[in-house]
């Protein structure tokens, strides 16, 4: 089937989409947006997190056709221009990026958290990021990064 | 595979009747996992997210009607004041990403005994509204859920909504898991007080082939509250009574051993939840915060 959706502010069209395919597959394999990672395909790791019409979702659990005509924002769409988004900068500075596989998902989920709650407590951060797994950092540096980002941005 | 995307409820029912092989999908948090892992290859996907009515909820005559497509996130935010136990259960579902997409309609569609929305719906005496081109019917949630992943939906039917009486007193829901977040329940329990009718409801989750109402425990505690005049005096419930209530709830469970827990642990935990939750709802009632 044919799909038309807006990704990071740009209308994109894709042909030959399989009806049972996920939005994640469309983003990565058809549109070449490799920021959203594919790790579990079952909603457990959050590494595929994107905004769908402004709502944080696991793109691996959205059927491609459900995104028809909708707006998607991926980690690639957060920063304006060439630089990093302040949330991304905070992750780098805090050492919350090691292998980096989980990072795009954490960045989008953190962006979503800070847009709703600009000064989250540790407990609130843990709750908001409970759907994102990291195998490297032990999460302390991620907590650090979120606090740093919160100080710097009001997203 | 076909991708069917009706824009109205009527079209959705027609599509369902014409395509019995189609798999309805809303949040996709159950359906997509099956597709991604090749465990399901339906002839068609019937996407219901474009049907506006399914994402609406409203209150009338003391009943809340929640469209099958209202997400957990919206239940917590918008409906929580009217249905505290359902909101508490919704808060324990998955992660923000899952709660933003997942729906009570989908939880009913899956009919897993571990479905977190089910014990509060059982305890509240909720009804599932089911539609087809043939018409509308309402089924009590207990009749709707038939067994693990089995329910009373006919081949041409869709769930339109769940209809739940507004809480008539304090309610609780608790869930035991192997960690704080993102877990399927090892077991769970919903307890509610109906202050107007002087009823107590308790429903066990994830410790049997379906959720289980602990009817003997309910009858026992209602008896004690009446006999001892506790509804009027708002006095404390005695230790022995609490213990007996917990025991009866424990006995109602029908758990199995599986990867998440032993049956024995589940039985024990259900008893602990029963005692605690009864204390909590009763404290809230005594404090006069009853609705
Ligand atoms: C990572 C993860 C964590 C999870 N954690 C929990 C948890 O803690 N607790 C819990 O209870 N569940 C959990 N789930 C399961 C899932 O999120 C819930 O069952 C959710 O309620 C499903 O809703 P949905 O809208 O996504 O359903 P979908 O996946 O769209 O559909 C689920 C089923 O219902 C059917 N269906 C959907 N809508 C209708 C309708 N209107 N009429 C008829 N049939 C319909 C579908 O055909 C399918 O069989 C989790 C899932 C994931 C991936
Ligand atoms: S790939 Fe989507 S949550 Fe893991
Ligand atoms: S940095 Fe490696 S998984 Fe998180």
């Amino acid at each position: 089937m044919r799909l038309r959706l807006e990704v990071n502010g740009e209308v994109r069209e894709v042909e030959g989409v399989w009806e049972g395919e996920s939005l994640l597959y469309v983003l990565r394999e058809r549109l070449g947006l490799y920021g959203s990672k594919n790790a579990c395909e079952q909603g457990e790791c959050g590494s595929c997190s994107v905004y769908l019409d402004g709502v944080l979702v696991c793109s691996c659990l959205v059927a491609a056709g459900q995104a028809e005509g909708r707006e998607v924002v991926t980690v690639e769409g957060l920063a304006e221009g060439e630089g990093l988004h302040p949330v991304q900068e905070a992750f780098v500075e805090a050492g919350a990026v090691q292998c980096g596989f989980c990072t795009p998902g954490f960045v989008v989920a953190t962006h979503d958290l800070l847009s709703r709650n600009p000064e989250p407590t540790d407990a609130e951060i843990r709750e908001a990021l409970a759907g994102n797994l990291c195998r490297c950092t032990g999460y302390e540096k991620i907590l650090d990064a979120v606090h740093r980002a919160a100080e710097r941005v009001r997203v | 595979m076909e991708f069917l995307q009706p824009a109205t409820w009527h079209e959705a029912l027609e599509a369902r009747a014409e395509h019995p092989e189609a798999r309805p999908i809303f949040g996709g948090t159950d359906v997509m996992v099956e597709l991604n892992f090749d465990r399901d290859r339906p002839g068609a996907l019937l996407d219901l997210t474009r049907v506006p009515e399914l994402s609406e909820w409203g209150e009338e005559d003391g009943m809340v009607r929640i469209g099958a497509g209202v997400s957990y996130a919206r239940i917590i935010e918008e409906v929580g004041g009217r249905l505290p136990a359902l909101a508490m259960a919704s808060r324990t579902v998955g992660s923000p990403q899952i709660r933003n997409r997942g729906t009570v309609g989908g939880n009913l569609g899956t009919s897993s005994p571990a479905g977190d929305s089910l014990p509060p719906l059982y305890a509240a005496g909720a009804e599932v509204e089911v539609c087809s081109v043939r018409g509308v019917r309402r089924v009590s949630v207990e009749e709707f859920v038939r067994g693990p992943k089995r329910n009373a939906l006919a081949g041409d039917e869709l769930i339109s909504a769940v209809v739940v009486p507004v809480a008539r007193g304090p309610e609780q829901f608790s869930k035991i898991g192997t960690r704080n977040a993102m877990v399927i329940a090892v077991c769970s329990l919903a307890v509610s007080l109906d202050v107007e009718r002087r009823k107590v409801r308790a429903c066990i989750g994830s410790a049997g082939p379906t959720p289980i109402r602990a009817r003997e425990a309910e009858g026992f505690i209602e008896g004690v509250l009446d006999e001892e005049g506790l509804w009027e005096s708002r006095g404390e419930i005695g230790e022995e009574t609490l213990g007996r209530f917990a025991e009866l709830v424990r006995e109602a469970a029908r758990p199995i051993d599986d990867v998440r827990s032993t049956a024995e642990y589940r039985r024990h935990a259900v008893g602990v939840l029963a005692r605690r939750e009864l204390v909590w709802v009763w404290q809230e009632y005594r404090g006069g915060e009853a609705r």
Side-chain angles (χ1 to χ4, degrees):
Chain A
M1 70 182 176
R2 200 187 143 103
L3 198 65
R4 199 185 145 93
L5 69 172
E6 191 182 310
V7 184
N8 299 329
E10 211 183 303
V11 175
R12 307 289 300 259
E13 280 189 40
V14 219
E15 301 274 358
V17 173
W18 174 58
E19 288 73 13
E21 191 166 307
S22 68
L23 173 60
L24 175 62
Y25 191 90
V26 168
L27 293 173
R28 289 179 56 84
E29 309 303 332
R30 301 194 186 274
L31 297 175
L33 291 165
Y34 300 113
S36 311
K37 298 287 178 265
N38 179 350
C40 73
E41 294 196 287
Q42 51 181 326
E44 296 279 347
C45 74
S47 64
C48 65
S49 299
V50 301
Y51 285 109
L52 177 64
D53 274 356
V55 176
L56 183 73
V57 303
C58 293
S59 58
C60 69
L61 299 183
V62 175
Q66 294 185 303
E68 168 71 34
R70 308 263 192 223
E71 283 174 30
V72 176
V73 176
T74 68
V75 69
E76 288 96 339
L78 292 184
E80 282 164 29
E82 289 301 297
L84 294 180
H85 186 277
V87 173
Q88 293 168 317
E89 262 169 22
F91 267 69
V92 174
E93 283 170 18
V97 177
Q98 289 188 25
C99 79
F101 199 85
C102 68
T103 311
F106 269 101
V107 166
V108 180
T110 301
H111 187 279
D112 178 59
L113 166 66
L114 296 180
S115 68
R116 285 177 290 110
N117 179 355
E119 281 176 78
T121 62
D122 276 5
E124 286 167 342
I125 296 171
R126 285 179 189 278
E127 188 176 12
L129 300 183
N132 292 74
L133 294 183
C134 175
R135 303 198 65 179
C136 304
T137 65
Y139 300 103
E140 289 302 324
K141 290 179 174 173
I142 290 175
L143 281 173
D144 228 29
V146 180
H147 285 302
R148 265 175 202 251
E151 277 167 29
R152 192 163 316 169
V153 279
R154 298 284 175 255
V155 271
Chain B
M1 195 185 282
E2 267 188 274
F3 196 84
L4 308 165
Q5 200 162 55
T8 68
W9 183 231
H10 185 71
E11 276 176 39
L13 295 176
E14 284 186 334
R16 183 80 190 122
E18 277 163 37
H19 299 270
E21 79 291 356
R23 158 120 2 237
I25 178 169
F26 205 97
T29 59
D30 282 320
V31 171
M32 287 305 289
V33 175
E34 299 291 302
L35 286 178
N36 290 345
F37 284 82
D38 254 341
R39 283 185 289 219
D40 190 20
R41 278 289 172 271
L45 281 181
L46 175 57
D47 176 29
L48 298 173
T49 54
R50 311 275 156 157
V51 177
E53 297 95 308
L54 291 180
S55 298
E56 290 167 3
W57 71 272
E59 187 184 338
E60 204 175 311
D61 299 332
M63 308 287 272
V64 189
R65 184 179 175 284
I66 304 172
V70 178
S71 67
Y72 292 109
R74 288 187 54 212
I75 288 180
I76 296 165
E77 212 155 275
E78 301 170 27
V79 198
R82 292 165 178 88
L83 304 174
L86 184 62
M88 287 180 204
S90 301
R91 243 178 247 125
T92 75
V93 172
S95 60
Q97 290 92 324
I98 302 296
R99 294 192 289 274
N100 282 344
R101 286 291 287 174
T103 63
V104 172
N107 216 219
L108 285 163
T110 297
S111 293
S112 155
D116 287 318
S117 74
L118 301 179
L121 294 179
Y122 274 57
E127 291 189 342
V128 184
E129 189 183 283
V130 163
C131 290
S132 69
V133 284
R134 293 173 290 126
V136 188
R137 64 189 180 107
R138 280 194 183 180
V139 196
S140 79
V141 66
E142 273 177 82
E143 280 171 62
F144 182 85
V145 179
R146 294 262 166 94
K149 311 215 166 169
R150 286 187 297 117
N151 60 48
L153 273 188
D156 64 347
E157 286 179 324
L158 291 171
I159 303 165
S160 44
V162 58
V163 182
V164 199
V166 176
R168 290 183 286 255
E171 298 186 343
Q172 282 290 334
F173 171 87
S174 299
K175 164 171 163 182
I176 305 249
T178 45
R179 59 186 177 122
N180 264 349
M182 279 291 271
V183 283
I184 303 177
V186 161
C187 63
S188 66
L189 185 77
V191 171
S192 66
L193 295 185
D194 183 337
V195 172
E196 274 169 44
R197 295 182 191 152
R198 311 215 152 170
K199 298 277 182 203
V200 181
R201 293 283 174 266
C203 181
I204 303 164
S206 215
T210 63
I212 302 169
R213 277 271 298 277
R215 287 204 157 73
E216 268 191 58
E218 295 174 357
F220 163 75
I221 191 69
E222 283 167 5
V224 174
L225 295 177
D226 279 342
E227 272 162 38
E228 298 185 5
L230 292 176
W231 287 110
E232 293 77 16
S233 70
R234 296 188 188 233
E236 234 174 291
I237 299 176
E239 269 308 311
E240 222 171 278
T241 304
L242 289 173
R244 182 67 187 144
F245 177 75
E247 196 177 306
L248 288 170
V249 173
R250 198 162 54 225
E251 282 170 13
R254 288 166 54 205
I256 53 167
D257 291 318
D258 68 10
V259 288
R260 271 174 280 134
S261 166
T262 61
E264 196 190 343
Y265 177 76
R266 283 200 166 95
R267 211 180 275 287
H268 168 75
V270 160
V272 173
L273 294 182
R275 191 182 188 291
R276 282 189 195 160
E277 289 181 52
L278 181 60
V279 168
W280 290 334
V281 289
W282 195 251
Q283 265 170 0
E284 193 181 331
Y285 174 62
R286 297 180 71 205
E289 289 170 53
R291 264 156 275 265

